[in-house]
Amino acid sequence: MNTRPHDPLPKNFDFSAAEPDIYAAWEEGGFFRADPAAPGESFVIVIPPPNVTGNLHMGHALDVTLQDVLTRYHRMKGDNTLWLPGTDHAGIATQNVVEKTLLKEGTSREELGREKFVERVWEWKRQYGGNIVRQLRRLGGSCDWSRERFTMDEGLSRAVREVFVTLHEEGLVYRGQYLINWCPRCRTAVSDVEVEHENRRDHLYYLKYVVEPDPGGAASSLPPLVVATTRPETCFGDTAVAVNPDDPRFGEYLGRRVVIPLTGRSVPVVADAYVDMEFGTGALKVTPGHDPNDFQIARRHDLPAVSAIDEGGLLTGAAGPYRGLDRLEARPKIVADLERAGLLERTDPLEHAVGVCYRCRSVIEPLISLQWFVKIGSLAGAAREAVADGRTALVPAGWEKTYFDWMDNIRDWCVSRQLWWGHQIPAWYCQKCGETIVAREDPAGCPKCGGTELERDPDVLDTWFSSGLWPFSTLGWPERTADLARYYPTTVLVTGFDIIFFWVARMMMMGLKFMGDVPFRTVILHPLVRDAQGKKMSKTAGNVVDPLEVIDRHGADAFRFSLAVQAGQARDLRVDPKRVEGYSKFVNKIWNAARLADSLLRGGAAETTAAATPGTTPAAPATPAGPGAGTAAGTADARGSLPDRWIRARLNQVVKAVGLELDAFHTDRYCDQLYQFVWYEFCDWYLELVKPVAYGPDGPARRAALETLGSSFATILKLLHPVMPFVTEALWPRFAPAGWDLSPIMTQPFPQFDPRALDPEALDLIQCLMDVTRAVRQARSDFGLPPGAKLSPAVQTTDPARRNALSEHGPLLLKLMGAESLSLADDETPRPRESAVNVLPWGQVWTPLAGHVNPEAELARLEKESQKIRKEIAAARGKLQNPAYLDKAPEEVVAETREKLSEVERKLESLGRALELVRSLA
């Protein structure tokens, strides 16, 4: 058994020295490991696997913090808790990193060949792939590292092949020529959800399609058909012009042919209801090889597809003299030639959304290509139903509509990628008979003709295909393991809302298909991390905040708390290093409160001002003034002293509140509850209330007070531990209960609400003291009185218990209020003239202002200030009611305007309160 340390706590918490040692002790002790045979309700989180190429960024930090808070909480609750970590092979990203390395070495993947290149990537992974995992430890992540997985390890690779083959056997995987999204820079197909859209300023070009002569050779009397397009370089791939059948302007054109500008090639004019009569001229060029909507029109009208742009983004032979030009460089040349030929009617400016590759930001080129697809309809339907019927809940629930809209309009998923790093598609092509073989094991020959010349498909699977299996493949599937039986389905997924389609939807589909149940019961979609001004972080903008630098400067606890306390239901979370610095002061507040409590429990007095009001030192109780004076400090009934009763009852309320918040996954409210209680109630009130007894003579009252102090602080440490694991672990040996068995705080039971600890009387009486203090402070603030202004408030109440509490704790109230004296009044006592009055349910607080405030001058000042604030409010409201401002102003500027409006509205409310008081004085 260990004994409580007897040396004083150091003045400051040296987090840089303590954090590595504490984490190593946790890990070496095996405290993160889950045991499927252990009792308790399962609580399971699988980490969203960061890219193996990555370093810790703010999004990871938020993810890990929220998951760790929940994991530590449920572990302390006694649940059988598993937090399973791992990394993603990140096909495109990892291949790009290694290819850049090869380029510096003067070689390339093509020169190495596939086998040696893949070996090189594995070598890179072994050397650098552990960076992100080490950084997750720096943050305090209590993952079960014994179960760490990688999306290309042997077990997960087997699961990927099993799923692909099974889907193919059921007709849900097929290969075909379809229009897909193609990245000319990455040279690979990308799925719909991997295409991001950027608003860009562009032009709408109005091209003239001359009507072909009549069959007899006579020139047509119809004027050219003008078509509006943003991409004139794709006209070489046109195979029709479409108009809406209900559009009366084009009736005479139907059935005729028109000549594509600069080509001499003619195409038919067809009628299709898809055409928007209001866009452009109402006539649409149909380019099936480069537009998904045109591709569908072509299928309805049996039109051919012509590829005008190749996989490198260069114009093809269909473009004639422009062949070999880059698609974007060709555009101005084509426009100039159209103008010279008299085939460009006009050009209008246009701002529109352009699809770009999520990885390299290159403009996506729709191309017709032979690819592998997953037939997604039935899978998406099941995943939609699981959210609709409540088997999986999205938090916040507002994301359900977005989820449903996407599921209702989903297209088949292109899963093949033209890469070498990844899960190679398990398909072989017989060179003798052309048979396609999809198999769980590498085939020796063709089952159809017996031929042995088999060529494997060179493509790999979309990274999100393997990630979609993460909740069950990491638990051992397709084997029926003990982990799989115990821990699937998982309890909660914590991730950013930006990958709800990339990843969340895929896991829902695959989990339901292969496990027969949803992969998680709850999905928490947290905000996206922005900089202090609300802007997206990027290296280009130079506003990236490095989490490791913040941890080095302020410690992991302050950083974690700053993230968790902001993780509410807003779309953005702003990271401001100054805010983290503010929460580092909270860590200091806890540490200094511990120093005071520890010194008292050890029988001495520490030289500290920390938990006390700034600038004060522990002192013997003063004699209270006013009616009821002389009551002994620390007077107690059979239940203990009033401060002891209050802190036990109030802490019991906080235990209940924070437990409810964590059960509901509200980490922001959990943090805020603890911050407010620890700082403003435990430190600012309780420690001050208990000092007179704690520094008094030894006896039953003092020993009871110290017992309450120690047990209360131990409870606070346990409540804080999920979000502040390091400082609470460092302090735990000082406040662990008798019989402590050396086990860390993370293994202690989380505090439970005790209905027997309710004490409404104690809560009410201390609230009375707080109300009085708040009323006097409010008067001081409203009238702008300096800290040195000595006030003499009076409290009117006839309740004996309140009068006794006010009398007993009068000296403390004087110090907290900065007042000279405090008197008690009854119903017969006249209210002093020129007094600020606060009416409370149990009485009134009078703050005499004579000699401190000139009513006439103060009235003039406040009215002038109110006029100025009203103008500021009008200006802010005017901006926010202006649609043009809301549409054109940057998002962060609009947010600042809203914040400014809230601030000045609060100020006007305060001024109104002060005006009302001054008018009562005048």
Side-chain angles (χ1 to χ4, degrees):
M1 305 298 288
N2 196 22
T3 57
R4 193 181 306 280
H6 289 288
D7 57 314
L9 275 169
K11 187 174 183 180
N12 298 304
F13 176 46
D14 186 359
F15 57 81
S16 59
E19 288 175 0
D21 291 344
I22 290 172
Y23 195 93
W26 285 334
E27 197 165 2
E28 289 166 10
F31 299 116
F32 302 158
R33 293 182 185 173
D35 179 2
E41 183 178 343
S42 295
F43 180 83
V44 189
I45 296 180
V46 290
I47 198 170
N51 288 354
V52 71
T53 58
N55 285 305
L56 188 72
H57 60 59
M58 281 295 176
H60 295 139
L62 177 59
D63 262 352
V64 171
T65 295
L66 299 183
Q67 292 171 71
D68 196 47
V69 168
L70 295 175
T71 298
R72 289 178 181 270
Y73 167 63
H74 282 274
R75 195 182 281 128
M76 294 174 78
K77 280 184 70 177
D79 291 340
N80 189 321
T81 303
L82 169 62
W83 183 16
L84 194 151
T87 50
D88 191 282
H89 66 278
I92 295 177
T94 307
Q95 180 159 314
N96 283 347
V97 167
V98 177
E99 285 199 75
K100 287 178 182 177
T101 302
L102 294 176
L103 187 62
K104 292 177 183 177
E105 297 173 1
T107 186
S108 67
R109 68 180 170 106
E110 288 80 10
E111 289 184 23
L112 286 181
R114 182 169 194 144
E115 185 177 344
K116 288 187 177 180
F117 175 76
V118 171
E119 287 176 4
R120 185 66 184 269
V121 181
W122 275 109
E123 180 185 325
W124 182 94
K125 189 262 180 189
R126 285 188 289 271
Q127 185 173 357
Y128 300 106
N131 286 351
I132 186 71
V133 171
R134 287 188 289 274
Q135 291 162 358
L136 296 180
R137 286 174 163 91
R138 284 284 313 276
L139 194 58
S142 60
C143 302
D144 184 347
W145 297 110
S146 69
R147 285 177 165 82
E148 183 182 349
R149 304 304 298 268
F150 177 54
T151 50
M152 281 186 62
D153 67 27
E154 185 177 347
L156 271 66
S157 295
R158 182 186 170 201
V160 168
R161 183 178 281 202
E162 177 66 30
V163 166
F164 185 89
V165 174
T166 300
L167 291 175
H168 184 265
E169 289 171 345
E170 296 181 13
L172 295 176
V173 161
Y174 63 93
R175 189 174 187 236
Q177 288 269 5
Y178 288 90
L179 195 76
I180 51 93
N181 303 302
W182 182 267
C183 176
R185 184 178 180 279
C186 296
R187 290 295 186 105
T188 184
V190 293
S191 66
D192 288 347
V193 294
E194 293 170 313
V195 178
E196 297 182 356
H197 290 84
E198 295 178 352
N199 282 331
R200 295 191 178 183
R201 292 181 179 177
D202 216 328
H203 293 89
L204 194 59
Y205 303 93
Y206 290 78
L207 279 55
K208 296 178 182 178
Y209 286 63
V210 177
V211 180
E212 195 175 52
D214 294 331
S220 171
S221 60
L222 291 172
L225 194 56
V226 179
V227 175
T229 180
T230 58
R231 305 189 66 202
E233 66 275 10
T234 63
C235 68
F236 306 108
D238 292 354
T239 55
V241 171
V243 296
N244 193 296
D246 297 328
D247 195 330
R249 296 173 294 176
F250 303 113
E252 293 184 81
Y253 289 90
L254 290 173
R256 303 296 296 268
R257 297 180 70 85
V258 293
V259 179
I260 301 169
L262 304 179
T263 69
R265 180 166 61 87
S266 68
V267 294
V269 179
V270 300
D272 196 284
Y274 168 78
V275 180
D276 182 355
M277 293 185 284
E278 303 300 321
F279 179 78
T281 65
L284 175 75
K285 62 190 286 295
V286 180
T287 318
H290 300 285
D291 184 279
N293 297 310
D294 294 0
F295 184 78
Q296 296 302 324
I297 292 174
R299 296 182 76 175
R300 288 194 290 271
H301 295 273
D302 198 22
L303 299 170
V306 175
S307 293
I309 299 170
D310 68 14
E311 293 178 353
L314 305 179
L315 269 62
T316 66
Y322 307 100
R323 177 180 184 174
L325 291 178
D326 179 86
R327 58 193 172 140
L328 302 180
E329 294 172 359
R331 185 179 299 174
K333 299 180 186 298
I334 293 169
V335 170
D337 289 346
L338 286 167
E339 197 164 18
R340 277 193 291 269
L343 296 174
L344 181 67
E345 182 177 88
R346 72 178 194 273
T347 302
D348 290 345
L350 175 72
E351 185 171 317
H352 67 139
V354 175
V356 298
C357 173
Y358 82 105
R359 176 60 58 184
C360 70
R361 316 310 296 175
S362 298
V363 175
I364 288 295
E365 187 61 56
L367 294 180
I368 291 177
S369 179
L370 184 60
Q371 302 284 344
W372 287 92
F373 295 84
V374 173
K375 195 176 293 184
I376 213 77
S378 62
L379 300 175
R384 186 196 195 284
E385 185 181 350
V387 172
D389 64 21
R391 279 175 286 161
T392 293
L394 303 186
V395 179
W399 284 106
E400 287 184 3
K401 183 180 184 303
T402 305
Y403 177 84
F404 292 149
D405 287 347
W406 189 74
M407 287 297 191
D408 291 341
N409 296 284
I410 198 168
R411 296 196 305 167
D412 284 358
W413 176 14
C414 176
V415 294
S416 46
R417 298 290 180 271
Q418 289 62 53
L419 304 169
W420 285 357
W421 173 245
H423 295 100
Q424 192 171 356
I425 291 173
W428 291 259
Y429 308 111
C430 178
Q431 302 302 295
K432 183 178 180 181
C433 71
E435 178 75 359
T436 297
I437 306 137
V438 174
R440 290 173 177 81
E441 304 294 337
D442 294 6
C446 175
K448 183 177 180 180
C449 72
T452 56
E453 292 184 32
L454 304 180
E455 184 177 316
R456 188 168 183 177
D457 194 304
D459 291 351
V460 301
L461 285 165
D462 179 6
T463 297
W464 299 103
F465 189 94
S466 53
S467 299
L469 318 182
W470 189 251
F472 56 93
S473 63
T474 52
L475 296 174
W477 189 91
E479 297 296 328
R480 293 292 169 177
T481 64
D483 275 4
L484 191 65
R486 180 63 149 116
Y487 297 125
Y488 189 94
T490 69
T491 311
V492 61
L493 175 73
V494 180
T495 189
F497 65 78
D498 56 326
I499 59 172
I500 187 172
F501 309 129
F502 281 98
W503 191 44
V504 178
R506 310 294 194 206
M507 288 189 289
M508 289 289 289
M509 295 177 197
M510 294 301 188
L512 286 161
K513 173 66 178 174
F514 290 94
M515 292 298 298
D517 200 353
V518 294
F520 19 72
R521 300 301 184 197
T522 302
V523 179
I524 300 172
L525 298 164
H526 62 63
L528 296 187
V529 180
R530 309 267 184 188
D531 72 3
Q533 285 70 47
K535 296 178 181 177
K536 184 177 180 179
M537 292 187 191
S538 70
K539 292 180 181 177
T540 305
N543 63 345
V544 174
V545 178
D546 184 344
L548 297 178
E549 290 181 4
V550 178
I551 292 172
D552 288 341
R553 193 174 301 119
H554 301 295
D557 288 326
F559 180 51
R560 288 164 59 107
F561 197 92
S562 72
L563 295 174
V565 78
Q566 295 184 79
Q569 297 193 4
R571 290 180 68 92
D572 295 336
L573 184 154
R574 298 187 181 191
V575 171
D576 186 348
K578 292 181 180 178
R579 187 170 187 138
V580 183
E581 183 180 356
Y583 288 119
S584 71
K585 294 177 181 176
F586 183 42
V587 177
N588 290 339
K589 186 85 169 179
I590 295 164
W591 186 262
N592 288 329
R595 289 183 66 220
L596 173 61
D598 181 59
S599 72
L600 292 169
L601 292 169
R602 286 186 296 106
E607 292 181 3
T608 176
T609 64
T613 303
T616 66
T617 54
T623 303
T631 306
T635 298
D637 61 19
R639 294 169 293 174
S641 70
L642 177 59
D644 288 355
R645 289 169 53 202
W646 171 70
I647 197 62
R648 288 196 296 265
R650 184 69 190 98
L651 188 54
N652 193 42
Q653 288 182 323
V654 173
V655 165
K656 181 179 182 179
V658 300
L660 289 173
E661 298 298 1
L662 287 175
D663 286 338
F665 311 114
H666 296 151
T667 55
D668 56 328
R669 298 178 192 173
Y670 152 76
C671 289
D672 189 58
Q673 291 258 8
L674 286 178
Y675 182 88
Q676 299 296 329
F677 170 73
V678 173
W679 192 299
Y680 298 110
E681 296 184 64
F682 183 82
C683 292
D684 287 0
W685 276 94
Y686 172 68
L687 291 180
E688 294 298 325
L689 287 166
V690 82
K691 279 179 185 178
V693 180
Y695 284 107
D698 193 24
R702 182 177 185 273
R703 288 193 292 273
L706 293 180
E707 182 181 347
T708 300
L709 170 62
S711 63
S712 298
F713 199 74
T715 299
I716 287 171
L717 291 179
K718 288 191 280 188
L719 292 175
L720 282 166
H721 178 74
V723 70
M724 288 185 165
F726 291 108
V727 70
T728 53
E729 195 68 81
L731 291 172
W732 179 244
R734 307 259 173 179
F735 299 93
W740 178 48
D741 62 357
L742 296 179
S743 57
I745 192 172
M746 66 174 291
T747 66
Q748 303 302 307
F750 198 79
Q752 298 296 307
F753 173 70
D754 182 359
R756 299 169 301 175
L758 298 173
D759 193 338
E761 181 187 46
L763 293 170
D764 190 49
L765 291 176
I766 298 297
Q767 187 62 49
C768 166
L769 305 184
M770 292 179 172
D771 289 342
V772 171
T773 304
R774 192 175 295 114
V776 177
R777 285 176 172 173
Q778 185 67 59
R780 187 185 292 277
S781 172
D782 286 345
F783 291 99
L785 302 182
K790 294 298 183 181
L791 303 175
S792 300
V795 181
Q796 181 199 53
T797 180
T798 58
D799 179 60
R802 285 189 173 83
R803 292 175 72 92
N804 285 338
L806 288 164
S807 179
E808 178 178 349
H809 299 288
L812 171 61
L813 298 188
L814 296 181
K815 182 169 64 174
L816 295 176
M817 295 184 297
E820 197 167 41
S821 65
L822 174 67
S823 59
L824 298 178
D826 56 28
D827 291 345
E828 304 300 322
T829 307
R831 176 170 67 88
R833 294 183 66 250
E834 299 185 8
S835 295
V837 180
N838 287 79
V839 179
L840 299 164
W842 46 263
Q844 297 184 11
V845 179
W846 304 330
T847 307
L849 299 172
H852 297 290
V853 174
N854 180 324
E856 290 77 14
E858 187 67 11
L859 186 63
R861 183 188 73 81
L862 292 172
E863 286 178 340
K864 182 178 180 180
E865 181 71 10
S866 296
Q867 289 177 357
K868 176 186 173 185
I869 294 297
R870 285 192 180 93
K871 289 180 181 178
E872 292 182 22
I873 289 174
R877 285 178 178 169
K879 287 182 179 179
L880 295 173
Q881 291 170 358
N882 182 351
Y885 175 77
L886 296 176
D887 289 340
K888 296 180 181 178
E891 186 179 337
E892 62 270 15
V893 174
V894 175
E896 286 173 6
T897 303
R898 289 197 173 99
E899 289 177 10
K900 175 68 174 176
L901 177 60
S902 297
E903 180 185 332
V904 291
E905 284 177 338
R906 286 193 299 270
K907 192 169 183 179
L908 184 64
E909 182 181 349
S910 176
L911 287 169
R913 188 168 54 247
L915 274 167
E916 184 179 347
L917 287 171
V918 171
R919 290 188 181 112
S920 71
L921 301 179

